Amino acid sequence: MRNTRLLALGTIALTALAACSDSTGPKGIGSAPRAALAAGGYHNCRITGTKTECWGYNGDGQLGDGTYNQATTPVTVSGGLTFVHVTTGYYHTCALTSAGKAYCWGYNGYSQLGDGTTNDSNVPVAVGGGLTFTSLTTGDSHNCGLTSSGTAYCWGGNWSGQLGDNTNTDQSSPVPVSTTLKFAKITAIGSHTCALTTDGTAYCWGDNWRGKLGDGTNTETEHDTPTAVVGGHAFTQIVGGYDHSCGLAKDGKTYCWGYNGEGELGIGTADDNVHGTPAAVVGGQTFKVLSEGRFDQLCGLTSAGQAYCWGYNAYGQIGDGTTDNRATPVAIGGAIRFSAIAAGDSHTCGRATTGATYCWGSNGDGQIGDGTYVEQHSPVAVSAGAAALRASASIVSGGTTSSRGTPGNAAHHVR
């Protein structure tokens, strides 16, 4: 039963980073990416010009507007800061300024805000340590960033070794990953983390439940330091869900590994088997970018901006107008062409090439952003944020406050 995934504290996953504009960083597979749209557990954020807006659940201050009230349409993040990259966790949000300074807000029970405390904040607070980052990513209850030299730092929850510092101790400010490797991209997924070197070699660390680290095993043995993904593939991006991971190869083909109970590996069938090595996604599509949701939906964008999704679909988060799971990619959005896509807990959002934002799937906390709490099985436009409808923080969907976790999932953009 999928509900059993909510029983363990902090076992919720989303995905990684992707690109709206490049930042300076290690060269090779591409500079570290920036994202202007992000889908979290039950909330979303976007950057429009100099303004950062968020909407959805806000019981822990993850909207950053100085309140704890839900918003069914976008509200502006407080503090007057201008961000160039935003990434959302399950109950927290982080962002980067153009100078590479990291700020976070929302739930802080595992020190994932990085300010040296465990106090929640409903406005942005600076991440400690004095570091500047070229990219930033949020996971279950941890975050990671890359410096311009390719050194990886992580902070927050660390019960499965997801910080990669060879311990299981939570960290309230950034600590270096225990490796001499230099990375070009990094993805804090859930209770595990993956990163790519400049030649596209993938390494993962943290929780290995159901083989999601891709090291050829399916044991639950965690890895507290980076371990190579087997298969010899060179990836340009790596993403992941609760119990699996996926990589986008240089030729645009997608490979996934881990659990496949809802067809999330995209191999044409759904089964209870564990695939400890990368398997090719079927369907013949080639993608420029991927995004993965916590409830095991995965989406990809082609170079033409056509969106495809597959996997778990109980809330319509695939966006094909049904609630049927899909074991192969299906086209969504009709004539809409997207420049970015971001898969959240049980919903998905995309930014169209026209600049409009669309969301679909679960909407119990207003995360669709259309001013309602009505579930949507195909893309609907997010309402303008100027006159946001507000709801009492006591209005929450079932399960929203049942467990704490922070799956990070920034939008993934076609370059």
Side-chain angles (χ1 to χ4, degrees):
M1 295 292 292
R2 181 166 294 275
N3 286 342
T4 61
R5 296 187 177 184
L6 295 174
L7 296 180
L9 196 66
T11 55
I12 304 172
L14 287 183
T15 39
L17 293 179
C20 179
S21 62
D22 288 334
S23 64
T24 57
K27 304 301 180 183
I29 62 170
S31 299
R34 300 269 173 89
L37 176 67
Y42 304 94
H43 75 293
N44 311 294
C45 295
R46 67 184 180 190
I47 297 172
T48 303
T50 60
K51 182 169 61 174
T52 301
E53 298 176 320
C54 300
W55 63 97
Y57 182 65
N58 195 31
D60 301 286
Q62 55 264 60
L63 302 190
D65 67 339
T67 79
Y68 294 97
N69 300 324
Q70 286 180 194
T72 60
T73 59
V75 296
T76 302
V77 173
S78 299
L81 294 163
T82 298
F83 297 115
V84 296
H85 168 74
V86 64
T87 175
T88 45
Y90 210 69
Y91 291 111
H92 78 292
T93 307
C94 294
L96 282 180
T97 68
S98 60
K101 293 293 186 181
Y103 290 80
C104 296
W105 56 95
Y107 181 61
N108 197 28
Y110 297 97
S111 299
Q112 57 263 53
L113 300 191
D115 65 343
T117 77
T118 55
N119 301 323
D120 297 353
S121 178
N122 59 13
V123 296
V125 294
V127 173
L131 296 164
T132 57
F133 298 108
T134 59
S135 66
L136 189 65
T137 174
T138 50
D140 188 342
S141 61
H142 74 293
N143 312 299
C144 296
L146 289 181
T147 67
S148 59
S149 67
T151 302
Y153 288 82
C154 298
W155 64 96
N158 196 29
W159 58 87
S160 293
Q162 58 263 50
L163 301 190
D165 66 342
N166 205 26
T167 78
N168 293 111
T169 303
D170 295 352
Q171 300 290 344
S172 61
S173 60
V175 295
V177 173
S178 183
T179 181
T180 58
L181 294 165
K182 300 298 181 182
F183 296 114
K185 294 183 180 180
I186 191 166
T187 299
I189 297 171
S191 53
H192 71 295
T193 307
C194 294
L196 300 178
T197 61
T198 55
D199 66 358
T201 302
Y203 292 82
C204 295
W205 56 93
D207 181 23
N208 193 36
W209 188 59
R210 290 176 164 172
K212 58 189 172 184
L213 297 188
D215 66 346
T217 72
N218 58 8
T219 68
E220 296 186 22
T221 303
E222 65 190 37
H223 296 276
D224 298 336
T225 58
T227 302
V229 174
V230 300
H233 300 287
F235 295 116
T236 62
Q237 186 191 0
I238 194 164
V239 300
Y242 178 78
D243 48 20
H244 69 289
S245 305
C246 295
L248 182 64
K250 291 183 176 181
D251 62 1
K253 294 179 181 178
T254 303
Y255 295 83
C256 296
W257 55 94
Y259 183 63
N260 193 40
E262 278 74 49
E264 55 264 56
L265 299 191
I267 58 177
T269 61
D271 56 60
D272 287 328
N273 297 326
V274 171
H275 302 259
T277 60
V281 171
V282 301
Q285 295 86 11
T286 57
F287 299 114
K288 300 296 289 186
V289 72
L290 301 174
S291 184
E292 182 88 36
R294 184 261 176 190
F295 265 164
D296 295 337
Q297 82 273 23
L298 188 120
C299 296
L301 291 183
T302 68
S303 59
Q306 175 66 63
Y308 288 82
C309 298
W310 64 96
Y312 188 59
N313 195 32
Y315 301 95
Q317 60 263 51
I318 297 299
D320 67 344
T322 77
T323 55
D324 300 325
N325 294 349
R326 302 294 184 182
T328 58
V330 294
I332 61 101
I336 302 171
R337 293 297 176 264
F338 294 97
S339 60
I341 196 159
D345 179 275
S346 51
H347 70 287
T348 307
C349 294
R351 177 166 285 179
T353 54
T354 62
T357 303
Y358 293 82
C359 295
W360 54 96
S362 178
N363 197 26
D365 295 288
Q367 59 265 52
I368 299 302
D370 64 347
T372 77
Y373 294 100
V374 179
E375 185 174 291
Q376 301 290 343
H377 300 162
S378 57
V380 297
V382 172
S383 301
L389 285 171
R390 303 308 301 267
S392 167
S394 64
I395 305 175
V396 297
S397 66
T400 298
T401 57
S402 63
S403 66
R404 299 281 189 176
T406 41
N409 188 28
H412 301 278
H413 295 246
V414 174
R415 298 185 182 218

